[in-house]
Amino acid sequence: MEKGYVQVYTGDGKGKTTAALGLSLRAAGAGLSVYIAQFLKKGDYSELKALERFSDKITIEQFGAGGYIVGDPKPEDLAAGQKALTAIRAALKSGAYDIVIMEEAGVAEKFNIITTDDILEVIAAKPENVELVITGRGASAKVMDAADLVTEMKQIRHYYRKGVSARTGIEN
């Protein structure tokens, strides 16, 4: 692969994870290998089922401790965050992946599950030929400054505000 860049998808609008997953599908179609670490998710999400079809090119692992973060993170949340960082560092060093995606790392950073410095260290350690994608609302200014591409998803309107719950295959 040619030179890899750092991409950040952030903002309060819908579509950050969807964009990263779309990129992973495009990459797999081009014969590239992708590693996705989901910081906060734990459970049976629709994207897991879909990506099983591309398991020869896309590896996805969940590192969420389960439940919502309210207030300070619990010890199990902190441990899960460190486990995700260890897996990401290993994926970057392995040479097996062309793209590494840190899904919901911005939220993990916002809730102090991982630190800004943790993300900046991953960026600094990224091999030249690996694309690194960081998603999640609330990405810090320092992380955005370190990125080559930053896309902010801006919410204009969302049916959630009218009481529509997350729908299978659309939001989860």
Side-chain angles (χ1 to χ4, degrees), residues 6 39 85 88-89 92 100 102 116-127 132 134:
V6 177
F39 271 86
L85 287 170
I88 289 162
R89 290 179 184 118
L92 286 169
V100 173
M102 298 173 66
T116 302
D117 286 343
D118 288 331
I119 298 173
L120 295 175
E121 287 168 12
V122 169
I123 291 171
K126 179 191 84 60
L132 179 65
I134 302 162

Side-chain angles (χ1 to χ4, degrees), residues 4 10 16 20 36-38 47 49 52 69-70 87 89 92 95-96 99 106 108 123 130 155 157 167:
T10 192
K16 297 169 289 293
I36 304 169
Q38 294 187 312
E47 63 259 30
K49 296 172 192 167
E52 283 176 5
I69 310 297
V70 179
R89 290 179 184 118
L92 286 169
I99 300 174
I123 291 171
V130 175
Q155 180 176 299
R157 179 181 307 114
R167 298 168 295 151

